[in-house]
Amino acid sequence: MRASYKINEHIRIKAEAINLFSAPKSQDYFVEGNLGEVNDYGPRLFLGMSFKF
């Protein structure tokens, strides 16, 4: 999910969120069904501001 808001012609605020529902990521080894690892990083949120001159 991404969103941005332009305050004026010089300033913009940005927000991004990934893995909002905390879905685990699983990887199989060489044979499908042979579970190698499962990672769960949870949701990540990023905020930023950009300036233009």
Side-chain angles (χ1 to χ4, degrees):
M1 183 172 121
R2 291 182 186 168
S4 67
Y5 180 74
K6 188 174 182 180
I7 295 175
N8 59 35
E9 64 183 55
H10 299 289
I11 300 172
R12 180 182 299 263
I13 297 174
K14 301 175 185 179
E16 182 177 356
I18 58 174
N19 198 13
L20 290 174
F21 303 108
S22 191
K25 178 184 173 188
S26 62
Q27 295 181 351
D28 292 330
Y29 280 126
F30 302 107
V31 179
E32 188 173 331
N34 187 5
L35 188 60
E37 66 179 281
V38 176
N39 297 312
D40 187 1
Y41 297 106
R44 296 184 194 178
L45 305 173
F46 304 92
L47 298 175
M49 182 180 286
S50 59
F51 300 95
K52 216 187 263 190
F53 294 102

